[in-house]
Amino acid sequence: RYVDTHAATLLAPRPTRGKQRGSLMSMFGQSDATAREADMEVSTFGDELSSISWLPVLVDPPESYLPWDASQTSVVARSDAVRPLGDLWLASSSSRILDGQVQDQSLTRVFGWHKPVNLYALVTQLGALGALDSSSEMSYRQTMALAVPTLYRSIDTALASPAPDAADDGASEAALEALREQPCIWVGSGFVRPAVTALVSPLSLQPHLYVVSADLQSFGSLLRRLGVRDRFGSSQLVRLLEDLAFRHASAPLDSASLEMVLSVVQQLASPQHQPLPPTQIYLPDTACAMVVAHELLFDDTPWLSDSLAGGQQAAGGQAASILSSASKRRRVHPSIAHETAARLGAQSLRLWLLGRNADTFALGQENVEAFGQYESLTSRLHNILELYADGVGILHELIQNSDDAGATEVSFIFDQAQHGDQSLLSPSMREWQGPALCVFNNAQFTPRDLRNICSIGSNAKLAAGNATGRFGLGFNAVYHFTDVPSFISGSHLVFFDPAAQFLPGATANNPGLKIKFAGESFLEQFPDQFAPYLLCGCDMVSPYNGTLFRFPLRNKHTASRSQLRKEEYSEEAMRGLFDSLHDEACELLLFLKNVRTVKAFVRREAGAEPELLFQAERSTAPGTRNEGAIANYISGRGGGGTASVDAFYERLEKADVRQLPLEAMRLTVHLRHGPASPRGDEVREEDWLVCSALGRGARRICEMCLKPEGRRLKLMPWGGTAARLSVSKRPSSTADAGEAAVATESAGSTPIAGRAYCFLPLPSATGLPVHSNGYFELSANRRDIWHGDDMVGVGQLRSEWNIALLQDVLAPCYAQLLLYARSLLHGPAFYALWPSSKPAEPWGSLVAAMYRLVLDQPLLRCEADGGSWLSARSAIFADGGGFELPDAARELLLRRGMPLAVVPAPVQRLLAEAAEAAGRALSVASPEAVRAW
């Protein structure tokens, strides 16, 4: 401190004789005589200061997570080994840090501290930071978030503008080379090696590969010199798959890892990564285990699918043996397209069958494969449960399957009874005789339905012409409730036991039972086992003209042993599920093809009749146009056609798109409460307007369906919109007498929050005042529509399809709906159905397309000449353009016949944007326009 305070005196030029200053020696206690003898010039004084270990330095690190040499315990050091406190985070690993601050700049220059920290020290510091153990503490991340950019900036500066004494380019490169194999790239939670990082990536691949955080992107030049890539290359992605394969061995991937692998596989198959490096590539099989690609088959023989599923039932002799062996070969995961699998090295089943030697498979090898299928079934179902969230969406799936089967009625029964547990098929079934969810619909299973429900992940959408997901992945969400689902339909009772723990004779290869009960005495032989099914007209003796599912709820004991889900499904959770179903019951029925009634019951005791909780029923108002025309066209009913998807595409290919079916329906939905309801006897009545079309006038989207890619995805140009016109409420005691409603509200006073539908509501909101239904391509868990502009291949096609469906089908339906609604609603209630702003994409594209279409439609009310409807192009808007027409002038002009239209400002703004995009402008009642008129 003394030297710092008196630096101006100590470092001043040599004084005149007789006025000698104190020297460095006098500071350390030498006699005056000795000091006078050691008196020196300023330069030698500075040299002496630099050669002595006298500067006070820190012994312990002053901050957490700071690189520090704990072996240095001396409290003083020479100036050439010391950096000031301001360089703490730049040089603490290679220099001692001054204990205190230097105020005098001349002293700073004497010690060389005015020069920046050299490149070698900076590189050493970064390497030391990366070598520290990372911490999950927030303070660690906050500290690094401040320290790392400062260090990167200093290195960047040192490389760009080296100091005179800095190392030459070769030395600089050597310093960087030392870093390239060290964890020196900060990714927000720790340091990683440059080889596993990239500046940008469309994929999230942590903890295997990392993307540089946005706040460090400005150091792109430095990061590239350290070895960070602009994007991940093929070798990095292939290595990621290989690491996952070795890490999991033969075990199935968890859901997060599987999702990552599928996205990486899609990237590797894209043109930007071709050709691939000459190395083995690992792909997931149907059990979600990683397998070398050339050991996997992909099924490119759809005409043999039924034969392979049935094994040798479809063939005999040697052919049966081949088909049986083929069915046991490991297959590529069904989410990987055939083209993608082929590019990455998987084998074609067609070529395998052609070149196969029937004598090459040993029995033992086949038995090992069969054992592996046991593991794959439970792990696959577990992953499906991770994908499909618990909640009312499971009931949606069951309604959807019923609708696809042609059912008109669906009932949910919460069976709270504890049934007998003695006369059972197996003692292990005792655990599943308690509370259950039972689901009834009035349609029977077909043989195709039986095959589909037994094939995990068999997405048979459209296999029967107009099914939207019949017994595909979504049905397996019922394993949230139970480990042992069952159902009765026709003459059979079917149990599933994927873990092969509860049913007699259940094995990994045959994890279930199919019992033909009709005409037999099973009810007498096993009364406790079959008594729970005596519901909804089922007597367990005669063939059942409907379908009844039973899902016994998983309790704490069964949950602890379950291989599918470790959480119980409580009665309280089931009541919550019924509450959610009640809250959306009126809106469930709007777009369904067949189901018209949904009911909910509770059964409190074994043998008792179920009590009604609530019932939602849809009816069609007189004058409805073409109800069922779309479903009839698709299925071929009425025209002598067939219900297969290929037959539908043949009809579509020959059709005049201008004549494709359009439906406009005015629906009434009644929600009634039963005696078991805690909500009393209120009846809710909602009036809806629904407009749907099958690609009418939309040539582009019809052509997309007919392309090979569209046929493979089974695309269908079906969409529509629904608007609520009014809501009324009344006591049930007055409903049958036809008395006036207690309360009636119009659309304007009861706006809806528009939701996306794929025939049933999805969780995603649209930001529109109407509901939007479409045969959308959905995410795997049916929670949102597929959308994104950063996709390739099939993902890009699915996104483009959804946009085309919104623009070419839903937008015209929306415009048509407004045309119908204009005669039913007036003033604000009518304009409440119009979008008042553009929502986020992809829904913004629907709004833009709809407003373009309505420019020429007579949808704007004008009161001139007794009242008429005008198009936006022919109307003169009363307000806008910076001028507001006075009321008196407006009335006068209307009496004179001016086509004035008064619309809400947000609607007029969106109309103006649509007109401007079309190269036109709206007419506004400005003084000039009035005079010209």
Side-chain angles (χ1 to χ4, degrees), residues 16 48 73 142 267 286 297 301 329 332 335 409 431 475 546-547 608 612 652 676 701 767 795 803 875 890 920 933:
T16 57
E48 185 175 338
T73 57
Q142 292 173 339
Q267 279 288 305
T286 54
L297 295 177
T301 58
R329 286 293 304 266
V332 174
S335 296
E409 178 182 335
E431 299 174 335
F475 172 79
T547 300
L612 180 66
L652 186 64
I701 198 166
I803 294 295
R890 182 183 303 174
R920 300 281 296 275
W933 181 81

Side-chain angles (χ1 to χ4, degrees), residues 56 171 246 424-425 469 616 860 904:
F246 285 112
L424 304 175
L425 294 176
L860 307 180

Side-chain angles (χ1 to χ4, degrees), residues 309-320:
Q312 56 215 60
Q313 294 178 7
Q318 186 177 15

Side-chain angles (χ1 to χ4, degrees), residues 672-673 680-684 729-737:
R672 295 181 172 86
H673 297 91
D681 66 346
E682 180 183 84
V683 175
R684 181 183 178 93
K729 302 174 184 177
R730 72 188 81 211
S732 62
S733 58
T734 68
D736 295 333

